[in-house]
Amino acid sequence: MNDAFAMPESVLVLGGGSDIARATLRQLLARNTRTVVLAGRDSASLDGAAAEAASLGATNAITIPFDATGVESHLRFAEEAFTRAGEIDLVLVTAGILGDQESDERDPKAAANVMATNFTGLASALLAIAGRLQAQGHGLMVVLSSVAAERARKSNFIYGASKAGLDAFAQGLGDALLDSGVKTLVVRPGFVRTKMTSHMSPAPLAVSADDVASAILRGIETGKEIIWVPPTMRLIMAALRHLPRSLFRRMPI
Ligand SMILES: NC(=O)c1ccc[n+]([C@@H]2O[C@H](COP(=O)([O-])OP(=O)(O)OC[C@H]3O[C@@H](n4cnc5c(N)ncnc54)[C@H](OP(=O)(O)O)[C@@H]3O)[C@@H](O)[C@H]2O)c1
């Protein structure tokens, strides 16, 4: 059950080894969280995250194999997660890949894998989980989108399109679940210094995984449905979104 500040007692993470997930869990464990279900592909990183959660006060730290692209397993996965955890108050969706735009443009299968991971696979998993949350009558799904979802840039349009799909899906799902007790929170970070971006030079206004985690906790507490990290990205992306396409496509971004 959530506490009086909407902080969850039980959390399921899709992409349990993610740096943003681990930073968010650290902050949640310092509040009300005691049951943590870590789902992902790499058992070693899930075990590391589970050990950290236990050391920070989790009384129940469970790991479950999960592949976003394995859509045929998602109903079974949701059943296992909810059976093993009992109730789940919060679902944190941090699974995702950046891809390599330059090479993926010449490799349709790799580009399709970015879509299958970031968009269609997670859409399938979200539906499987939403059914369970509806049955228990409450729950929040926190979905990691990106500023890249707001307008696809030529240098990043494969990832951007995948996040645009996920972002729209999460908003639509939240609207469809209105009055069910189940909600969605869409998180749109700019550049975050994590292992996903460790090969890149930080972009202007880069933030840390801890910054994103703090923003997520604030968003949960204040009942937000969409948040930008840092908040200034909202204005920057609004300006970019409304630039005439003839100008936008010539920008070196
Ligand atoms: N870092 C940024 O600048 C940034 C900015 C905006 C949004 N985001 C989004 O924030 C989320 C978390 O990113 P992060 O920065 O924390 O990166 P990260 O540390 O690389 O985490 C991404 C996680 O996704 C998991 N994953 C990848 N493919 C998967 C699949 N098919 N099934 C299940 N899990 C899979 C990875 O696990 P394995 O590969 O070990 O399985 C990894 O744990 C992502 O959705 C990302 O797109 C990041």
Side-chain angles (χ1 to χ4, degrees):
M1 258 306 150
N2 296 329
D3 70 11
F5 303 97
M7 289 296 122
E9 195 277 332
S10 48
V11 178
L12 164 63
V13 186
L14 305 187
S18 135
D19 289 345
I20 291 174
R22 289 185 68 159
T24 306
L25 279 178
R26 284 193 289 274
Q27 295 195 20
L28 288 172
L29 285 158
R31 303 286 293 270
N32 184 43
T33 298
R34 289 297 164 262
T35 294
V36 173
V37 184
L38 298 156
R41 296 183 300 180
D42 177 11
S43 59
S45 73
L46 295 184
D47 288 346
E52 182 179 51
S55 75
L56 293 173
T59 49
N60 196 9
I62 300 163
T63 64
I64 304 183
F66 168 77
D67 188 332
T69 64
V71 293
E72 66 295 331
S73 67
H74 288 166
L75 283 171
R76 237 179 309 116
F77 162 76
E79 185 183 351
E80 182 180 356
F82 281 76
T83 302
R84 290 181 65 185
E87 263 190 9
I88 293 176
D89 302 321
L90 187 141
V91 180
L92 180 60
V93 182
T94 47
I97 52 174
L98 189 55
D100 179 335
Q101 173 75 31
E102 216 177 300
S103 70
D104 292 354
E105 277 181 35
R106 296 186 299 275
D107 184 348
K109 201 171 157 196
N113 186 48
V114 175
M115 301 297 162
T117 304
N118 294 351
F119 176 26
T120 56
L122 290 178
S124 155
L126 279 166
L127 285 179
I129 288 164
R132 296 273 160 181
L133 293 176
Q134 271 181 288
Q136 76 180 15
H138 79 279
L140 173 65
M141 291 174 277
V142 177
V143 179
L144 267 292
S145 173
S146 166
V147 294
E150 184 74 347
R151 190 170 191 182
R153 292 175 282 127
K154 63 187 176 197
S155 62
N156 195 20
F157 68 83
I158 297 173
Y159 176 80
S162 72
K163 286 295 189 183
L166 178 66
D167 192 299
F169 185 90
Q171 289 186 64
L173 181 60
D175 291 347
L177 294 173
L178 191 70
D179 300 329
S180 72
V182 182
K183 296 179 171 15
T184 60
L185 165 59
V186 172
V187 183
R188 295 179 180 157
F191 189 105
V192 190
R193 293 181 297 271
T194 66
K195 62 179 175 296
M196 180 177 277
T197 54
S198 57
H199 59 293
M200 301 160 76
S201 313
L205 300 179
V207 296
S208 67
D210 288 324
D211 294 328
V212 180
S214 301
I216 289 174
L217 264 74
R218 268 197 309 279
I220 295 171
E221 261 177 336
T222 53
K224 289 269 165 32
E225 292 178 308
I226 299 178
I227 57 172
W228 299 78
V229 195
T232 342
M233 290 308 303
R234 179 182 185 171
L235 298 176
I236 294 169
M237 293 311 296
L240 283 178
R241 185 178 182 85
H242 292 100
L243 262 193
R245 194 154 168 218
S246 54
L247 286 179
F248 182 74
R249 61 164 54 121
R250 290 184 193 288
M251 290 182 73
I253 56 172

